[in-house]
Amino acid sequence: MSNFDYDLFVIGAGSGGVRASRMSAAKGARVAIAEDRYMGGTCVNVGCVPKKLYVYGSHIHDEIEGAKGFGWNISGVDFDWPTLRDNKTTEISRLNDVYRNILSSNNVELIEGRATITGPNQVVVGDKTYTAERILIATGGWPMIPDIPGKEHIITSNEVFDLDVLPHKAMVLGGGYIAVEFAGIFKGLGVDTSLIYRGPMFLRGFDNEVRNFVKNELDQKGIDLRFETNIVAITKTSDGRLEVELTTGDKDIVDCVLAATGRVPNIASLGLENTAVTLDAKGFIEVDSGFQSREPSIYAVGDVIGGPALTPVALAEGMALAHNLYGNDSTVKQVDYSNIATAVFCQPNIGTVGLSEEEALEQGYGLNIYTTDFKHMKHTLSGLNERTFMKLIVDKNTDKVLGCHMVGSEAGEIIQGIAIAMKAGVTKAQFDDTIGIHPTAAEEFVTMREITRTAG
Ligand code: FAD
């Protein structure tokens, strides 16, 4: 046992911090965790969880619209924002307590307050100083607001979940998955919604065909998509609305501007200057493959190290670290960052795993590409125009499936299963040998027989 107060002092009770602390404590380490805002971090409080609850809420709009075709006459439809918002808050309070209990039942000491590192083995929270053999930084990210005149009128994902009043008209700024998801949420809840993005096409990094397909779907749902456009300035009007001046010369009056323009590492006042910890060019904490920083006693995991900003990645990093530092065997766990499946919960969803066509070509593969684009059986009666898209990217030489992409209802749920097959190195022939589940949309993944085109 070390002479320090703790073996491990974790800063940040979010996805990575909670997982690392409870697993380390379960392996016998004496662990404390400091948290200054909310138990469970971004994901639970202002990220994945409230977002998904709102996605469910906003999707009901389509269900109601499509109900007539199935014989349901639904009249007097009304949406009450405070009900959704407050029910969400109740559920999150429940989850906050779940996280608190997870920590206490695993003998992790929770210290509430903002932590500052004052030396390689020392942390201050409030007026108390703690020592630890090791410190883990798991402080996550923070939304970035563009520096434009009137930026004080902009809200971010930190505020959007708790708006007093649902806007009549909203403008979402940004082209990443969070921007696209919020445009869908607003639209589904009945808000007149535009999405402004400075680049030629949103969702950079996703397969180009997927991006174009989603663009068409969002267009036809009535989201006003404006690419190659940015905000010049925002001013408040006399009646409390916002006048937004755009680079196109247009001026829009809206009730809310939501910026989803990227996140920066949350390291303000963390005290890194008191350590040898170094940052990369984008300001993220530099660590080696064992999550150790340049200060040997200090480690970091999660969004603060700049890898894929996803909860399951932060969890995997936290678990690997706990295993490697406090595990009872000598095996070393490395996080495998290949083939991480992800979803974008726009409407319809995107589910994706593996390489995009563009990435596969860049890596020198010769490709067989299989695509299909169809109307979901449900919409033959619902009357909705929503379409589904699927794509398999296959290595011509080995028949290995390199990428699998879907835009459609429940794409996130469907792709998770395919991600397991891809992890196991699945080939196109094995897709073909798999008997489908009928009638589902997912069965199309095992019935795409004809090569749509070759590439590379
Ligand atoms: P966090 O969960 O951010 O936790 C960091 C914690 O540290 C916070 O609680 C913070 O208060 C605390 N902290 C910071 N500094 C200090 C300090 N000095 N002292 C004490 N405490 C401190 N990921 C997905 O996988 N799927 C999704 O659908 C998804 N949707 C998202 C939607 C939105 C709107 C956002 C913003 C993110 C979303 N993410 C999603 C990303 C996911 O939330 C993050 O990748 C994940 O939370 C990162 O975990 P973390 O442990 O690195 O940090």
Side-chain angles (χ1 to χ4, degrees), residues 78-118:
D78 194 20
F79 170 66
D80 183 50
W81 164 252
T83 301
L84 174 62
R85 183 197 58 206
D86 298 348
N87 286 346
K88 174 272 305 170
T89 303
T90 305
E91 169 56 10
I92 284 174
S93 304
R94 188 186 71 80
L95 291 174
N96 294 147
D97 289 343
V98 168
Y99 273 81
R100 234 171 246 283
N101 291 337
I102 286 175
L103 292 176
S104 64
S105 61
N106 281 282
N107 295 323
V108 176
E109 189 179 333
L110 174 63
I111 298 168
E112 301 203 41
R114 189 147 189 96
T116 303
I117 302 172
T118 44

Side-chain angles (χ1 to χ4, degrees), residues 2 58 76 144 173-174 209 247 254 339 382:
S2 65
S58 69
M144 203 171 61
L173 178 66
E209 234 174 334
T247 47
V254 300
N339 287 336
S382 78

Side-chain angles (χ1 to χ4, degrees), residues 11-17 34-38 41-43 46-48 51 113-115 138-141 157 177-178 182 263 266 270 301-303 309-312 314 345:
I11 306 179
S15 308
E35 172 55 53
D36 76 329
R37 274 175 91 82
Y38 28 46
T42 304
C43 179
V46 287
C48 335
K51 176 196 76 186
R114 189 147 189 96
T139 51
S157 56
Y177 79 92
I178 295 175
F182 271 104
R263 292 172 68 80
N266 191 358
L270 190 56
V301 295
D303 285 7
L310 295 165
T311 281
F345 297 104

Side-chain angles (χ1 to χ4, degrees), residues 134-391:
R134 295 184 176 108
I135 296 168
L136 172 62
I137 301 171
T139 51
W142 197 251
M144 203 171 61
I145 295 186
D147 194 14
I148 47 177
K151 67 179 180 189
E152 65 278 12
H153 304 304
I154 290 177
I155 62 162
T156 69
S157 56
N158 278 356
E159 295 82 39
V160 71
F161 293 108
D162 292 300
L163 294 176
D164 286 338
V165 180
L166 187 68
H168 290 292
K169 194 167 175 181
M171 182 179 279
V172 180
L173 178 66
Y177 79 92
I178 295 175
V180 173
E181 289 176 334
F182 271 104
I185 290 170
F186 274 139
K187 186 67 194 170
L189 297 181
V191 177
D192 182 358
T193 306
S194 56
L195 184 144
I196 307 289
Y197 179 51
R198 63 182 177 182
M201 177 61 77
F202 56 19
L203 295 172
R204 197 154 53 90
F206 286 82
D207 185 275
N208 276 346
E209 234 174 334
V210 166
R211 298 163 81 191
N212 284 313
F213 191 89
V214 171
K215 176 195 173 293
N216 291 339
E217 286 299 308
L218 301 195
D219 257 343
Q220 67 99 7
K221 284 204 190 274
I223 297 175
D224 175 14
L225 300 174
R226 295 191 229 167
F227 297 145
E228 316 254 30
T229 305
N230 213 335
I231 296 179
V232 177
I234 304 171
T235 42
K236 202 155 205 159
T237 63
S238 53
D239 58 355
R241 302 188 79 195
L242 300 173
E243 184 182 79
V244 185
E245 189 187 336
L246 300 170
T247 47
T248 51
D250 292 335
K251 284 186 176 169
D252 262 25
I253 303 282
V254 300
D255 304 294
C256 162
V257 178
L258 167 68
T261 42
R263 292 172 68 80
V264 290
N266 191 358
I267 52 172
S269 73
L270 190 56
L272 295 182
E273 64 284 3
N274 304 318
T275 72
V277 171
T278 53
L279 305 180
D280 69 14
K282 289 186 175 159
F284 294 100
I285 293 179
E286 284 183 312
V287 291
D288 63 17
S289 62
F291 308 108
Q292 192 171 29
S293 76
R294 292 282 172 83
E295 180 69 67
S297 58
I298 301 184
Y299 295 76
V301 295
D303 285 7
V304 79
I305 63 170
L310 295 165
T311 281
V313 172
L315 297 178
E317 292 172 348
M319 280 190 287
L321 184 73
H323 173 89
N324 295 342
L325 294 183
Y326 303 110
N328 296 326
D329 60 65
S330 56
T331 55
V332 176
K333 265 205 180 118
Q334 296 282 349
V335 175
D336 177 3
Y337 293 93
S338 64
N339 287 336
I340 296 173
T342 60
V344 179
F345 297 104
C346 50
Q347 294 159 32
N349 293 181
I350 304 173
T352 180
V353 58
L355 301 179
S356 66
E357 182 176 342
E358 296 70 37
E359 284 167 338
L361 289 175
E362 236 173 67
Q363 293 181 22
Y365 286 103
L367 302 176
N368 290 331
I369 312 270
Y370 299 78
T371 60
T372 178
D373 166 354
F374 58 94
K375 189 168 191 166
H376 196 294
M377 184 195 266
K378 180 176 177 184
H379 299 313
T380 57
L381 295 199
S382 78
L384 299 185
N385 286 327
E386 189 175 294
R387 294 190 68 78
T388 296
F389 174 72
M390 291 174 174
K391 179 170 184 176

